Amino acid sequence: MNFENYDPSFPDQPVVDLYLSVWANLPAFRSKPAFVWIDDGSPHATNASTSSTLTYSQLNDSVHSISNHLLASFQRGETVLILCSPGLDLVEVIFGCQRAGLLSVPIVPPNPSFSKGNYHQLFRVLSQTKPKAAIAHRSYIAEVHRYISSSSKNTDLVRLLQNLTWISSDDIKGGKTLLNLKNSGSSSSYKGCKVDEVYLIQYTSGATGIPKPVLVTAGSAAHNVRTARKAYDLHPNSVIISWLPQYHDCGLMFLLLTIVSGATCVLTSPDAFVKRPRLWLELITKFSATCTPVPSFTLPLVVKRGGIEQGTSHINLWSLRNLILINEPIYRAPVEEFVRVFKPFGLNPSSISPSYGLAENCTFVSTAWRPNNYGAGFPNIPTHKKLLPSAKLADRANETDEDMDIVIVNEETREAVEDGIEGEIWVSSPSNASGYLGHPSLTREVFYGLLSDRLSRCFVRTGDRGIVKGSEERHLFVTGRCSDIIKLPNKEEIVHPHYVETAAHNSCPGFIRGGCLAAFEIWSKVVVVAEVAQMKKQKEMFKEDDVVLRRICEGIRKFVLRDEGVEAGLVVLVKSGSVPKTTSGKIQRWAAKEKLARGQMSVVMEMRFGDDHGSSGTKLDDGSRGYNDVAANELVTT
């Protein structure tokens, strides 16, 4: 492999931004694209309005300019909210804040009309992080000012918005720099965020509760992406494709990972992918991508809606070395189906890279993919209860991996369990974040886990459950979330709701939306909420005859009982978009339970099943009712 002007022994930098300065000052990298943005869903467009590029030199100059403008108005360590839309501006501002030594909080910018309750996350962020300023596009700032001047409601939000200094990203990107760019690559003279300084607040996904602000130091972030670079074998010849949200977790990590690796990253928005999933395949083909991170739901979605035969351009996935799957648990069946469909298009099955991560460890924790196993990976990796592993661990006798120490722990005794026993996943690593902002008790509980049966360093308690299987090769399987598990009095084993949801979907895949179901427990009864697919023919069925809806509910109960041995006490069919999800597509079961209990679901049909196997169903045309008799009472009492 050709590494032009690249030394494989290139010394690691203490923070990510220093890599950018070094690459930008190497002749071979100055004009090399660091990031390419595709903004209209067409990778074949040639005009500047549909795609744009930032070379390493351009990015470094822009970051330096942004840094100097910010330092002219703010002190190092002050907090800045980033409200830029997805794109290259967001990339420049994130790195610019780090070089200025500021604490940045990037979040998805809500519509500046702040209607329909879309401002709750913004209000939470403003209240918790107390930023001095907000950086956004000029047009967005104008809309915010119009809202402030005309608003007579949400006075608390208005007050918080008024207290901010608003900075246009357009104004801080240009102009002359005040420092010598040639000297900016020296770590000894570097004025940006230091290793032990918190440089980023990234919010958790909200999959198990209200999103929490995680404090990330510049050093832990650098360690995390260096570990990921090694795990995925990334280098300057790597080309990454990503449509993930750029504000946190994996989407943000791959911005940093690109710079640390000296690679090129082609970006587009989640909306562009959702509107036309084939875009992802086209980008991989056009740019000969070697690496692409996607949520696991992407594979069945692309098989179903990828339009393989509909596009005018050919699809060729021969170049792909890492198809990184995130959003555990990762089922084997949809991966096998994706490989079967796309192997004729050049996909190497060994590129499948099931992975695991969480915000409390910056992002990356592990992957089951190994460079030296290329050509001998999937489909030869093992399976546990339909799931693929998310890590390949060292032998117990040689557990000296200094990057990530992963242990399965009994949550009650806090003792490490033997392989083959399920428990909570604990992770100890220099990548561990520093804690939650404003939550000292929760920080002690989550970030300072200590094993009771041995002397050890502190662990992060992930809140995820897992099991290690295998003797010669030990693999970690992420089986579910601790807070989501269902415990039934007549069943010894715990039940992971994703198995119930999968069985429910398999009962009627033509009518039920995949990945849009939520199962949870209310008063020792299992509730299954499922979105019905939006199809004209089905809408006519629903309006004319509720027999179809009853049969769907009965089919869900039957399949859940047959496949998982779980008796569903209530099945609720709801309209498309009713089941709450995170920005990365994770089901928010806690929110679905609360939403149903409060009668806020757009219910089409609900059907109760009693202990005597009798049933009663109610068709709710107005979508205004839910299972709020029992559920609401439980929420009140808990």
Side-chain angles (χ1 to χ4, degrees):
M1 189 171 291
N2 177 32
F3 297 96
E4 182 180 2
N5 284 353
Y6 175 69
D7 180 2
S9 301
F10 183 80
D12 288 331
Q13 299 296 319
V15 298
V16 174
D17 181 42
L18 283 172
Y19 287 91
L20 173 58
S21 300
V22 172
W23 293 129
N25 285 297
L26 290 177
F29 280 81
R30 287 174 186 164
S31 59
K32 176 183 177 177
F35 295 97
V36 178
W37 176 256
I38 307 296
D39 62 7
D40 71 342
S42 173
H44 307 289
T46 56
N47 59 70
S49 64
T50 56
S51 63
S52 49
T53 300
L54 266 178
T55 66
Y56 273 88
S57 178
Q58 290 170 336
L59 177 59
N60 190 52
D61 290 350
S62 178
V63 166
H64 213 73
S65 175
I66 292 170
S67 169
N68 288 324
H69 278 90
L70 293 175
L71 285 174
S73 303
F74 303 101
Q75 304 263 338
R76 287 184 81 263
E78 290 188 323
T79 305
V80 176
L81 181 65
I82 301 177
L83 288 169
C84 298
S85 301
L88 299 184
D89 281 359
L90 177 58
V91 176
E92 295 170 279
V93 170
I94 288 174
F95 281 99
C97 287
Q98 179 173 5
R99 190 169 295 183
L102 299 174
L103 173 56
S104 63
V105 191
I107 66 167
V108 179
N111 188 300
S113 65
F114 303 115
S115 59
K116 298 181 180 179
N118 74 342
Y119 58 85
H120 292 308
Q121 175 64 0
L122 174 63
F123 184 84
R124 183 181 300 114
V125 171
L126 292 173
S127 302
Q128 292 177 337
T129 66
K130 298 177 173 55
K132 294 285 185 180
I135 303 175
H137 296 298
R138 187 180 293 117
S139 59
Y140 187 87
I141 295 174
E143 289 290 331
V144 171
H145 286 317
R146 273 194 286 272
Y147 169 79
I148 292 173
S149 61
S150 62
S151 178
S152 58
K153 298 180 179 179
N154 300 322
T155 53
D156 290 337
L157 176 62
V158 170
R159 176 178 52 80
L160 290 171
L161 294 172
Q162 286 176 325
N163 289 339
L164 290 171
T165 298
W166 288 89
I167 302 170
S168 168
S169 58
D170 311 270
D171 295 338
I172 60 176
K173 286 169 54 180
K176 297 180 180 180
T177 59
L178 302 179
L179 300 177
N180 188 341
L181 293 179
K182 292 183 180 180
N183 295 328
S184 63
S186 171
S187 59
S188 61
S189 62
Y190 184 66
K191 304 300 182 184
C193 289
K194 302 297 190 293
V195 171
D196 58 351
E197 292 180 334
V198 176
Y199 93 104
L200 172 73
I201 296 177
Q202 71 166 350
Y203 274 76
T204 57
S205 65
T208 59
I210 294 173
K212 297 180 286 294
V214 178
L215 300 169
V216 179
T217 65
S220 61
H223 175 270
N224 196 247
V225 290
R226 284 198 303 266
T227 305
R229 176 185 67 179
K230 177 182 176 182
Y232 296 121
D233 192 28
L234 300 180
H235 45 72
N237 286 350
S238 298
V239 178
I240 301 165
I241 303 292
S242 175
W243 51 263
L244 300 175
Q246 299 166 258
Y247 302 92
H248 59 85
D249 287 351
C250 199
L252 176 57
M253 184 196 78
F254 266 86
L255 302 182
L256 310 182
L257 190 53
T258 297
I259 299 303
V260 167
S261 306
T264 295
C265 184
V266 180
L267 300 164
T268 192
S269 71
D271 288 343
F273 166 77
V274 172
K275 290 176 183 175
R276 196 168 69 88
R278 195 181 197 272
L279 169 64
W280 176 54
L281 304 174
E282 292 174 355
L283 292 175
I284 294 172
T285 301
K286 179 181 179 183
F287 292 95
S288 298
T290 61
C291 175
T292 182
V294 294
S296 54
F297 68 76
T298 302
L299 304 193
L301 177 66
V302 171
V303 168
K304 183 178 180 180
R305 292 182 46 214
I308 306 170
E309 307 297 339
Q310 298 175 4
T312 57
S313 61
H314 75 289
I315 299 298
N316 195 334
L317 309 181
W318 67 271
S319 60
L320 208 54
R321 291 195 75 220
N322 299 106
L323 202 175
I324 300 170
L325 302 179
I326 58 176
N327 282 23
E328 64 287 333
I330 302 171
Y331 279 78
R332 185 183 191 96
V335 176
E336 288 181 332
E337 175 68 4
F338 184 85
V339 169
R340 183 190 66 79
V341 171
F342 288 99
K343 194 172 181 180
F345 293 87
L347 178 69
N348 190 324
S350 294
S351 66
I352 301 298
S353 310
S355 302
Y356 173 54
L358 70 159
E360 287 84 350
N361 195 60
C362 288
T363 293
F364 176 78
V365 172
S366 61
T367 180
W369 185 87
R370 288 292 184 273
N372 57 355
N373 285 346
Y374 190 63
F378 187 86
N380 298 320
I381 57 178
T383 303
H384 171 71
K385 293 185 177 180
K386 307 176 185 178
L387 305 179
L388 291 177
S390 296
K392 187 175 181 181
L393 305 181
D395 184 271
R396 269 198 178 275
N398 299 301
E399 283 185 302
T400 57
D401 187 350
E402 62 181 13
D403 288 327
M404 299 287 170
D405 187 7
I406 301 173
V407 181
I408 307 299
V409 179
N410 182 307
E411 298 122 288
E412 295 180 358
T413 66
R414 299 198 176 197
E415 295 178 345
V417 302
E418 295 294 325
D419 289 0
I421 300 176
E422 186 176 309
E424 184 180 14
I425 303 171
W426 288 22
V427 179
S428 182
S429 164
S431 292
N432 290 167
S434 300
Y436 297 122
L437 176 66
H439 296 275
S441 298
L442 192 58
T443 293
R444 284 192 297 272
E445 179 183 346
V446 173
F447 290 87
Y448 293 90
L450 293 174
L451 297 172
S452 62
D453 59 341
R454 71 176 84 158
L455 290 175
S456 69
R457 52 187 176 179
C458 291
F459 285 81
V460 164
R461 301 185 60 178
T462 67
D464 295 319
R465 290 181 66 87
I467 187 171
V468 175
K469 303 281 285 187
S471 54
E472 294 184 5
E473 291 188 339
R474 301 171 66 236
H475 289 88
L476 168 69
F477 296 84
V478 182
T479 54
R481 301 185 184 280
C482 299
S483 61
D484 285 342
I485 59 175
I486 298 172
K487 296 180 180 179
L488 299 176
N490 60 342
K491 194 173 177 66
E492 291 185 6
E493 295 183 359
I494 62 172
V495 178
H496 289 293
H498 61 83
Y499 286 116
V500 175
E501 293 155 5
T502 300
H505 175 255
N506 291 340
S507 70
C508 198
F511 284 83
I512 300 171
R513 298 187 68 204
C516 299
L517 302 91
F520 44 84
E521 176 190 352
I522 295 180
W523 280 9
S524 300
K525 290 188 180 294
V526 175
V527 179
V528 180
V529 178
E531 291 186 8
V532 292
Q534 286 184 316
M535 296 175 65
K536 184 177 180 182
K537 184 178 180 180
Q538 292 174 6
K539 285 183 179 180
E540 292 173 355
M541 288 183 184
F542 297 159
K543 288 180 180 179
E544 294 175 3
D545 192 357
D546 65 351
V547 173
V548 175
L549 299 175
R550 287 176 177 271
R551 288 180 177 173
I552 293 174
C553 292
E554 290 169 348
I556 288 175
R557 174 185 172 274
K558 179 180 178 181
F559 269 63
V560 169
L561 182 61
R562 185 197 71 182
D563 294 353
E564 301 303 327
V566 174
E567 184 79 45
L570 174 73
V571 176
V572 184
L573 302 181
V574 296
K575 294 181 181 179
S576 177
S578 296
V579 175
K581 296 183 180 182
T582 69
T583 56
S584 57
K586 299 176 184 177
I587 299 297
Q588 295 176 301
R589 298 180 183 93
W590 66 276
K593 180 178 179 178
E594 183 176 306
K595 192 175 178 183
L596 181 66
R598 293 180 176 176
Q600 297 171 343
M601 287 280 192
S602 297
V603 178
V604 176
M605 163 71 78
E606 65 177 28
M607 199 162 187
R608 296 177 177 85
F609 299 94
D611 294 333
D612 58 354
H613 302 303
S615 62
S616 61
T618 305
K619 182 180 179 183
L620 304 171
D621 295 316
D622 60 0
S624 60
R625 291 177 52 197
Y627 187 47
N628 43 21
D629 295 335
V630 175
N633 286 336
E634 182 187 352
L635 286 179
V636 170
T637 57
T638 57

